[in-house]
Amino acid sequence: TNDVCGLGFFPKPDGFPPYCLGVTCLTSECCVEAPQCNAEVCPAGYLLKRITFSEYGCAGYTCRLEECCEASPVCPLDFCDGDGSKLIKFTNPTPNCTNYTCSTQDCCKGAGVCSASVCPTSYGLSRAATLGVVYCDSGTCRPQECCDLKPPTIPVTSVSLQDLDLDEGELGGVITWVPPVGDELRSYYSVRVGSSAATAGLVGNTSAANSSFVLPPGT
């Protein structure tokens, strides 16, 4: 009968035997021990509760999630912010942690590092990436994070000035040149005037689509 099974035991789920072997029924003949909470009860995203469980086991033949488990902590979005070489693994959702306290292994992954292989033709590593390690916003670096347009190496040719300023020691007029031939990318030309390339002063910039520049009078 059911009263044979005390605390921590349940009647055998497949029914009692017709008769007991002795004058008094034994617990082992009629009952099964109540199951105990363990980590196997807890699915992904849950951990075994940090409490002292009842010595009498779970309230049924099978332990329930709410009896044994608590939700595991979730990685905070700013968990990896203190280390530029690390990125949060996910932003929505962030992963559950494997312990009661989140770890770097749970929450963070390595950030990409700028290298010359990221840069397309006519681009090279930025000054910052040349001088030190530059980490990227994801595991794979993008050219705009790592690269700058290379300074052109092919010069313009046939530079000439039509000087229209007749005052002594002054220049003014139209400077023309022949653009270089090649696949180097340019965004603008800088126009400098001086007695040598080393001492020439900047007088202005013009679009790379132009091949002339108006030098102001009195230059």
Side-chain angles (χ1 to χ4, degrees), residues 168-186:
E168 184 179 356
E170 295 182 354
L171 299 173
V174 180
I175 301 174
T176 61
W177 59 86
V178 175
V181 177
D183 59 358
E184 291 183 326
L185 298 178
R186 291 170 174 77

Side-chain angles (χ1 to χ4, degrees), residues 124-138:
L125 280 177
S126 65
R127 178 173 175 79
T130 301
L131 295 177
V133 177
V134 173
Y135 294 105
C136 301
D137 293 336
S138 68

Side-chain angles (χ1 to χ4, degrees), residues 35-57:
Q36 299 288 331
C37 283
N38 60 75
E40 293 180 359
V41 177
C42 305
Y46 288 85
L47 299 169
L48 200 62
K49 282 183 177 179
R50 290 170 289 180
I51 61 172
T52 301
F53 295 104
S54 169
E55 62 180 299
Y56 302 116

Side-chain angles (χ1 to χ4, degrees), residues 135-184:
Y135 294 105
C136 301
D137 293 336
S138 68
T140 302
C141 293
R142 297 166 295 160
Q144 55 265 42
E145 295 178 286
C146 304
C147 312
D148 287 335
L149 189 64
K150 289 180 180 178
T153 57
I154 306 174
V156 299
T157 56
S158 303
V159 178
S160 65
L161 167 65
Q162 182 185 8
D163 188 9
L164 303 177
D165 190 328
L166 303 180
D167 292 337
E168 184 179 356
E170 295 182 354
L171 299 173
V174 180
I175 301 174
T176 61
W177 59 86
V178 175
V181 177
D183 59 358
E184 291 183 326

Side-chain angles (χ1 to χ4, degrees), residues 14-174:
D14 53 355
F16 294 129
Y19 300 100
C20 296
L21 297 177
V23 176
T24 303
C25 291
L26 301 175
T27 300
S28 59
E29 292 179 286
C30 304
C31 312
V32 292
E33 189 174 1
Q36 299 288 331
C37 283
N38 60 75
E40 293 180 359
V41 177
C42 305
Y46 288 85
L47 299 169
L48 200 62
K49 282 183 177 179
R50 290 170 289 180
I51 61 172
T52 301
F53 295 104
S54 169
E55 62 180 299
Y56 302 116
C58 297
Y61 292 101
T62 302
C63 291
R64 293 171 293 137
L65 177 71
E66 56 269 26
E67 288 183 286
C68 302
C69 311
E70 63 181 77
S72 59
V74 174
C75 294
L77 287 176
D78 60 353
F79 187 90
C80 313
D81 287 358
D83 185 346
S85 67
K86 299 289 190 298
L87 300 170
I88 191 76
K89 282 185 177 178
F90 303 101
T91 55
N92 186 25
T94 52
N96 291 92
C97 302
T98 56
N99 211 325
Y100 303 103
T101 301
C102 292
S103 68
T104 299
Q105 185 175 358
D106 289 324
C107 302
C108 304
K109 62 180 180 180
V113 178
C114 284
S115 66
S117 62
V118 177
C119 302
T121 303
S122 297
Y123 285 80
L125 280 177
S126 65
R127 178 173 175 79
T130 301
L131 295 177
V133 177
V134 173
Y135 294 105
C136 301
D137 293 336
S138 68
T140 302
C141 293
R142 297 166 295 160
Q144 55 265 42
E145 295 178 286
C146 304
C147 312
D148 287 335
L149 189 64
K150 289 180 180 178
T153 57
I154 306 174
V156 299
T157 56
S158 303
V159 178
S160 65
L161 167 65
Q162 182 185 8
D163 188 9
L164 303 177
D165 190 328
L166 303 180
D167 292 337
E168 184 179 356
E170 295 182 354
L171 299 173
V174 180

